[in-house]
Amino acid sequence: MSLFGAIEAGGTKFVCAVGTSPDDLRAEMRIPTTTPAETIAQVIDFFRQQISQLGPLTAIGIGAFGPVDIHTDSPTFGWFLDTPKLGWQQIELAGVLTRELSTPIGFDTDVNAAALGEYHWGNGQGFETFLYLTVGTGIGGGAVVNGQLVHGLLHPEMGHIRIPHDLSADPFPGACPFHQDCLEGLASGLAIEKRWQQKAASLPIDHPAWALEAHYLAVGLVNFMLMFSPERIILGGGVMEQMQLFPLIRLQVRQQMSAYLKVPRIMNDIDAYIVPPKLGGKAGIVGAFVLAQQAAKVSS
């Protein structure tokens, strides 16, 4: 059986794994995201150790925080571009691993990888068009349309859409270094921490932060629903581990959609329409296995 490597390259940690699927994880390691040189060197060391113990890898899949260059015919394929992550702008990743490990690389965003994981093994199964949105330190989204990830000029950057911001109700200016009060700037984990001077996980469930958070996320979701017409929306990431958010978001989505789009899934079964990921925190890393499998087919 072919053995694959997987990397979920996040802004706070890189998760590295070897295996083939959620039920076949042979090895896994978490590496803090520090400097590019230090972090990438530890990633390479992990895979060298696994290759020596388990044998060669057919390919490695990487799901990375963005924006990144995902186009294989580009001279900067597999690079981080002008990411908000300090010190990681214009940094090569995929090419370094290819040279050091002599392994084909599949490369996409972390949210697209998570969408693939949910499509193959999670709550995206049975749906040809759905949306995966992660709400963590930042916000990002991956869309599967007709069974394919959405790519184009680059990749979707759903966390940076502009949404209404009533400064009289919420005077917080926003946390995004590029757009200030985009969706990520108002509703990410970093935004919550900066607005309330506490991490999201430490806020009580009745804190006013959650009603405001649900409002902003629902605004974003309604926009995505109107654009993509997803059959299901999956909300993952650390902030969404606060399960009290789900009923608040569902209620807000219905209210903001008003009487428009009276389809049964929204009107009658919204609890099954806006859902957490079945794979939980594993969605991104197992989705990277799918990216590796796709890279192996291209290189064969």
Side-chain angles (χ1 to χ4, degrees):
M1 178 183 291
S2 295
L3 197 60
F4 298 100
I7 302 170
E8 185 179 14
T12 57
K13 65 181 180 298
F14 275 47
V15 181
C16 302
V18 172
T20 62
S21 72
D23 300 321
D24 181 28
L25 280 172
R26 314 284 180 90
E28 188 174 357
M29 182 178 182
R30 284 164 171 75
I31 298 168
T33 306
T34 56
T35 65
E38 183 178 45
T39 306
I40 295 171
Q42 291 182 64
V43 169
I44 292 168
D45 286 344
F46 168 81
F47 284 110
R48 283 179 174 159
Q49 292 175 19
Q50 298 310 313
I51 290 168
S52 69
Q53 295 174 18
L54 300 174
L57 300 178
T58 304
I60 296 173
I62 305 172
F65 64 87
V68 290
D69 189 340
I70 56 163
H71 294 299
T72 55
D73 59 352
S74 169
T76 55
F77 167 70
W79 286 56
F80 293 96
L81 302 177
D82 292 324
T83 170
K85 179 69 176 175
L86 293 177
W88 283 81
Q89 294 87 3
Q90 305 303 323
I91 295 295
E92 183 182 20
L93 178 59
V96 175
L97 297 185
T98 298
R99 293 191 294 272
E100 294 291 332
L101 301 172
S102 301
T103 306
I105 301 292
F107 188 82
D108 213 310
T109 64
D110 49 0
V111 282
N112 271 348
L116 281 178
E118 289 291 316
Y119 183 62
H120 284 266
W121 297 293
N123 277 336
Q125 292 179 99
F127 298 100
E128 290 299 295
T129 299
F130 72 93
L131 176 71
Y132 183 99
L133 194 77
T134 186
V135 187
T137 304
I139 295 178
V144 172
V145 175
N146 296 328
Q148 300 293 322
L149 288 172
V150 172
H151 292 140
L153 185 65
L154 197 61
H155 50 74
E157 279 289 341
M158 299 182 195
H160 295 272
I161 65 169
R162 311 313 302 270
I163 60 175
H165 180 195
D166 182 353
L167 285 165
S168 64
D170 176 25
F172 177 66
C176 175
F178 290 94
H179 313 115
Q180 203 163 8
D181 59 354
C182 59
L183 180 60
E184 178 172 292
L186 292 173
S188 65
L190 179 61
I192 293 172
E193 182 178 352
K194 286 190 171 183
R195 180 188 285 108
W196 302 106
Q197 300 300 303
Q198 291 185 66
K199 291 188 178 295
S202 69
L203 294 171
I205 61 173
D206 59 350
H207 195 280
W210 302 121
L212 185 63
E213 180 73 4
H215 166 75
Y216 285 134
L217 292 177
V219 171
L221 292 186
V222 167
N223 280 313
F224 300 142
M225 290 162 68
L226 296 171
M227 281 188 283
F228 295 109
S229 195
E231 298 168 288
R232 172 168 277 180
I233 295 173
I234 302 170
L235 299 179
V239 172
M240 294 309 305
E241 292 175 4
Q242 303 293 321
M243 298 305 291
Q244 72 271 15
L245 270 174
F246 278 91
L248 295 173
I249 291 169
R250 291 168 183 143
L251 177 63
Q252 282 279 321
V253 164
R254 273 185 172 158
Q255 290 177 349
Q256 293 184 34
M257 192 66 81
S258 188
Y260 200 60
L261 293 186
K262 290 185 177 179
V263 296
R265 194 160 295 165
I266 297 172
M267 301 303 295
N268 305 326
D269 200 20
I270 198 167
D271 288 359
Y273 180 67
I274 300 174
V275 299
K278 181 179 179 180
L279 299 172
K282 296 288 187 184
I285 195 67
V286 300
F289 284 138
V290 181
L291 294 174
Q293 292 164 9
Q294 292 173 349
K297 290 177 182 178
V298 170
S299 64
S300 62

